[in-house]
Amino acid sequence: GAGVSQSPSNKVTEKGKDVELRCDPISGHTALYWYRQRLGQGLEFLIYFQGNSAPDKSGLPSDRFSAERTGESVSTLTIQRTQQEDSAVYLCASSPRRGGTEAFFGQGTRLTVV
Amino acid sequence: SQKIEQNSEALNIQEGKTATLTCNYTNYSPAYLQWYRQDPGRGPVFLLLIRENEKEKRKERLKVTFDTTLKQSLFHITASQPADSATYLCALAPDSGYSTLTFGKGTMLLVSP
């Protein structure tokens, strides 16, 4: 596709349910990032993928959060037993190669836990 | 601990003036520093990248400086326009085998006509 695509764009879920957020990066981009942005706050790093491996997952806030990437393409961020504090916009970005090159962001998934 | 600091207060300027935004960092040795623009409800959009061995980079009305001694980057928008109103984020990438990209919290710029 032309850009990074995230789905769904909006998700409302009940506290305690599991959710899956999807990211389709730009074709050929080897680096993929997930960030969380709470209302009025900055970008909080969650996890970084290089290919299908995750050399840095230090930002995952708890063991309820996990992510995977397959085929050096699609990535899924899973949040289990959602809590109200998980409410935020989850942003995905991809980059052509490692080494701090520019990142291209998707439009984000707005997650609301009620 | 590692920190990236941007002024949390909004910067208000008049159209036509030069806007200058600051990014300070501590306990980093970044190989790259990047600036992004974020509009409400949208993902950040890349503007400029500057490497540690570069002092200054320009792109149209934008200029970025990078002082690794002061651990500071300045981002300038000359001849500012109301359409430049947005939040501007700086981001750092370390010089390592992989590159986690870490962002500052951003500074909101408001340009009045």
Side-chain angles (χ1 to χ4, degrees):
Chain A
V4 177
S5 178
Q6 291 188 245
S7 60
S9 54
N10 278 285
K11 175 73 176 179
V12 180
T13 190
E14 290 182 351
K15 178 181 171 181
K17 300 283 190 185
D18 297 352
V19 294
E20 280 190 356
L21 312 180
R22 178 186 168 107
C23 173
D24 283 273
I26 294 173
S27 178
H29 281 195
T30 58
L32 187 146
Y33 307 86
W34 282 99
Y35 295 88
R36 178 169 70 179
Q37 188 170 34
R38 291 194 168 107
L39 187 64
Q41 302 298 309
L43 271 71
E44 178 185 2
F45 168 76
L46 297 178
I47 188 168
Y48 159 69
F49 286 94
Q50 183 62 42
N52 290 338
S53 63
D56 190 349
K57 53 179 79 170
S58 63
L60 294 177
S62 74
D63 59 7
R64 296 186 297 105
F65 288 72
S66 63
E68 64 176 16
R69 188 180 184 193
T70 55
E72 295 198 350
S73 181
V74 173
S75 176
T76 303
L77 177 69
T78 302
I79 309 174
Q80 296 178 308
R81 304 180 303 280
T82 52
Q83 304 294 313
Q84 287 185 328
E85 63 262 27
D86 299 334
S87 296
V89 175
Y90 289 83
L91 289 160
C92 173
S94 70
S95 185
R97 59 185 186 275
R98 63 185 182 187
T101 50
E102 62 179 284
F104 296 81
F105 280 82
Q107 80 282 9
T109 294
R110 181 176 298 279
L111 175 66
T112 304
V113 182
V114 296
Chain B
S1 62
Q2 294 178 320
K3 284 185 182 178
I4 303 172
E5 294 181 337
Q6 295 186 255
N7 195 336
S8 58
E9 291 185 13
L11 177 63
N12 286 276
I13 63 168
Q14 272 198 313
E15 182 175 10
K17 302 291 187 185
T18 296
T20 299
L21 305 175
T22 305
C23 175
N24 295 299
Y25 58 91
T26 53
N27 295 323
Y28 274 102
S29 295
Y32 305 85
L33 190 144
Q34 304 179 23
W35 284 88
Y36 289 76
R37 168 184 173 140
Q38 187 174 26
D39 292 283
R42 311 292 296 268
V45 174
F46 172 79
L47 296 174
L48 278 169
L49 178 153
I50 187 166
R51 293 177 170 78
E52 60 178 337
N53 60 351
E54 297 175 316
K55 297 294 186 187
E56 182 179 298
K57 202 80 168 279
R58 290 175 185 264
K59 179 182 176 183
E60 298 173 350
R61 295 185 294 110
L62 309 180
K63 185 178 84 171
V64 172
T65 62
F66 192 11
D67 189 327
T68 55
T69 301
L70 290 179
K71 296 187 182 298
Q72 179 181 81
S73 174
L74 298 178
F75 176 79
H76 307 272
I77 305 176
T78 59
S80 59
Q81 305 166 0
D84 295 326
S85 299
T87 296
Y88 291 85
L89 309 167
C90 71
L92 302 181
D95 181 15
S96 64
Y98 61 90
S99 58
T100 297
L101 192 58
T102 306
F103 284 80
K105 294 189 185 306
T107 299
M108 184 181 294
L109 172 66
L110 299 170
V111 182
S112 305

